[in-house]
Amino acid sequence: MKIIKAPYINQGDKFPTGCESVSAVMLLQYLGYSITVEEFIADYLEKEAFEIREGKWYGPDPNQTFCGSPYDAGAFGCYAPVIVKALQKFIQESGEVIDETGTPIERLLTEYIDRDIPVIFWACINMRKPLEGPSWYLKSTGESFTWISNEHCMLLVGYDEEKYYFNDPYENNGCIGYPREIVEERHRAQYGMAVGLKPTAKKQKYD
């Protein structure tokens, strides 16, 4: 068994759709960066609201910006490229942020977890089944986009032969293990998204 002891932040009622930001901040704090979830959302996360045009719902592309606000329970979320951009903006030259979408989980374990670096990881809330969610027209292109509901982001911190372990910010789940097979299924349902951060500057790790 390998489990990295990283700081835990509960998204709770304050950040009802802020799991991506909370997971990013847990990683940053573990690596020794000083930042709060509020600061990350305000200063580094790109956000965009929805609007009605001629009776149709138009919204952001989750690959480009957070859809709504992490403080709004009716908002959605964002995909890996948005978190990559926010993290790189924050850490600047002190590390490299990598979009690991599509990278096999076993490689994430060897490249990051075995080297004591957690990974930001997309799956589903409490490993529920993914559902075809609401659709809207993208502001950027006018194309129709359909959200995959039960989207969730956590911090991958460990594994054993049967489970993967996460700092799961949802409903104070804490550090929790989920069976490997179901994690792999839910991860695929959310496009296999993951984000890694490899610091180049020495910082004091969380302990």
Side-chain angles (χ1 to χ4, degrees):
M1 174 184 280
K2 167 83 174 186
I3 296 182
I4 300 167
K5 183 183 177 184
Y8 179 76
I9 301 171
N10 176 34
Q11 68 187 93
D13 294 331
K14 188 168 188 180
F15 315 109
T17 52
C19 54
E20 302 95 347
S21 296
V22 173
S23 297
V25 170
M26 286 192 286
L27 174 60
L28 289 171
Q29 290 183 358
Y30 167 75
L31 292 172
Y33 295 96
S34 178
I35 186 171
T36 65
V37 178
E38 291 87 349
E39 289 168 341
F40 185 85
I41 292 171
D43 299 333
Y44 302 98
L45 182 72
E46 293 195 13
K47 304 166 288 294
E48 191 174 354
F50 288 83
E51 61 186 55
I52 302 293
R53 299 180 190 168
E54 299 178 349
K56 294 181 179 179
W57 200 25
Y58 280 80
D61 182 340
N63 288 293
Q64 298 175 355
T65 182
F66 187 94
C67 301
S69 166
Y71 293 101
D72 180 3
F76 292 89
C78 63
Y79 290 164
V82 179
I83 295 302
V84 169
K85 188 174 181 179
L87 285 170
Q88 198 67 65
K89 182 180 178 182
F90 174 73
I91 69 168
Q92 299 185 20
E93 302 301 319
S94 66
E96 179 185 9
V97 185
I98 304 165
D99 189 337
E100 294 286 4
T101 298
T103 300
I105 297 177
E106 286 298 324
R107 186 174 168 190
L108 295 178
L109 300 182
T110 57
E111 286 289 313
Y112 294 94
I113 304 303
D114 288 346
R115 298 178 181 181
D116 294 320
I117 301 176
V119 177
I120 301 168
F121 189 99
W122 275 254
C124 293
I125 294 171
N126 287 340
M127 296 301 147
R128 298 172 189 163
K129 290 183 179 180
L131 301 172
E132 186 173 300
S135 296
W136 60 84
Y137 294 97
L138 298 178
K139 289 183 179 181
S140 54
T141 65
E143 296 176 25
S144 179
F145 171 83
T146 300
W147 181 257
I148 304 299
S149 290
N150 284 331
E151 176 262 356
H152 189 44
C153 191
M154 303 172 288
L155 192 66
L156 175 64
V157 296
Y159 65 96
D160 59 23
E161 291 184 1
E162 297 180 354
K163 295 180 178 180
Y164 299 113
Y165 291 86
F166 300 89
N167 273 17
D168 182 352
Y170 187 71
E171 291 188 337
N172 215 21
N173 278 338
C175 183
I176 187 170
Y178 293 111
R180 281 182 171 234
E181 184 176 359
I182 194 168
V183 169
E184 291 161 6
E185 289 178 2
R186 302 303 183 248
H187 186 54
R188 283 194 296 270
Q190 296 294 345
Y191 311 108
M193 292 186 293
V195 172
L197 195 165
K198 295 183 177 179
T200 52
K202 288 185 177 181
K203 299 190 77 67
Q204 180 64 44
K205 286 189 178 181
Y206 171 86
D207 187 4

